[in-house]
Amino acid sequence: MTAATAIAAEVPLMVSMPGTPRSVPVVRHWLAEVMAAHGCSGVDDALLVASELAGNAVRHTRSGEPGGRLVVVIAFPDEVTLRLEVIDEGAETVPRPRDADWDMESGRGLWLVEQVSRSWGEAALRDGRHAVWADLESKRVA
């Protein structure tokens, strides 16, 4: 086992966070650490997607209510893909990209996710929670 492999084995691939705006930069920092430990490329795009998905969970779902939480999961389905998934506590609506006016301050998050990821999607979970995921190109060099 190499030193990089040992470090990668110690970094958790799932984290549960309070559903507050302060958690979004913590999610980004955690993701950067995981990607560094695994020697992943594509960090900038992954951090953008993490910000958007975690931010949306906080703003638009029950995760953002008092006591709410969100879970972030990272998986490596193959040697060139990183899957980033944010599980929220559910909402009345389903996430969809929208056509936002370019002079508006918000409304383009899922459009950005769509632009930088290979694919993305959402799924309702049996327990009422909701998952939004994105597959990103990310080669592991370590």
Side-chain angles (χ1 to χ4, degrees), residues 1 11 14 16 19 35 55 99 104 109 125:
M1 178 181 289
V11 178
M14 181 179 79
S16 176
M35 292 182 76
D99 293 326
M104 293 177 64
L125 305 178

Side-chain angles (χ1 to χ4, degrees), residues 49-124:
V49 169
S51 292
E52 295 301 332
L53 297 185
N56 284 350
V58 170
R59 269 186 234 95
H60 303 297
T61 76
R62 286 185 285 279
S63 290
E65 294 176 1
R69 298 195 66 80
L70 60 97
V71 176
V72 183
V73 181
I74 297 171
F76 299 103
D78 59 47
E79 288 299 313
V80 294
T81 305
L82 177 140
R83 174 167 282 190
L84 178 63
E85 182 173 32
V86 174
I87 301 169
D88 62 54
E89 294 193 4
E92 300 302 316
T93 60
V94 175
R96 296 278 180 252
R98 60 182 178 168
D99 293 326
D101 292 331
W102 287 105
D103 58 345
M104 293 177 64
E105 290 185 23
S106 64
R108 289 177 286 287
L110 288 177
W111 179 84
L112 288 169
V113 169
E114 200 170 61
Q115 300 309 302
V116 301
S117 62
R118 287 184 178 165
S119 60
W120 76 278
E122 50 81 23

Side-chain angles (χ1 to χ4, degrees), residues 20-45:
T20 66
R22 297 177 101 190
S23 292
V24 177
V26 176
V27 166
R28 279 194 309 266
H29 177 77
W30 169 77
L31 176 60
E33 291 292 319
V34 170
M35 292 182 76
H38 285 270
C40 296
S41 65
V43 174
D44 291 339
D45 287 347

